[in-house]
Amino acid sequence: RDLEFLRSLLEGSLYMNYEGVVNRMESIGRQDILLGSPMSLKESFDELKTLKDSSLRELAVRFGQKPHIFALGPLGAGDLKKIEQAWLGKNLKE
């Protein structure tokens, strides 16, 4: 039931990404960065159909093993060390 709900949310998001020039360009850019090339709407829906509970669990485990960071602006080596320490539950010393 949750998987079907997730699929419907993602389908709605895909349709919205095709509404308007700005949304479409952002979608193409995001797909180019993440996948190496943009996918057609049909390809995206085909991928959604293959989505299974086990693949979601595998993805959650893989992303939960080490931090993934999205940042605006420059990060220095010290910043990355602080993030790593926080991820490992260590006390941060400034």
Side-chain angles (χ1 to χ4, degrees):
R1 189 175 81 194
D2 290 338
L3 184 58
E4 285 306 313
F5 178 72
L6 176 62
R7 274 195 188 110
S8 68
L9 285 177
L10 291 172
E11 285 176 5
S13 177
L14 286 171
Y15 279 123
M16 293 304 290
N17 284 335
Y18 275 78
E19 289 291 324
V21 175
V22 173
N23 287 342
R24 184 66 187 130
M25 292 301 106
E26 287 177 356
S27 177
I28 288 172
R30 192 171 38 252
Q31 289 177 359
D32 193 44
I33 290 169
L34 296 173
L35 305 172
S37 65
M39 295 173 72
S40 70
L41 190 57
K42 181 183 180 334
E43 289 172 318
S44 298
F45 283 125
D46 289 345
E47 285 290 319
L48 272 178
K49 288 177 188 172
T50 66
L51 191 61
K52 297 179 182 156
D53 285 335
S54 58
S55 57
L56 290 176
R57 280 189 211 95
E58 179 184 319
L59 186 63
V61 167
R62 187 170 3 142
F63 275 109
Q65 289 176 347
K66 70 180 201 181
H68 291 76
I69 303 163
F70 297 93
L72 292 173
L75 286 176
D79 297 321
L80 294 176
K81 189 67 175 170
K82 286 180 184 178
I83 292 167
E84 181 182 357
Q85 288 174 342
W87 178 261
L88 296 173
K90 297 179 180 177
N91 290 331
L92 297 176
K93 296 179 182 175
E94 303 222 19

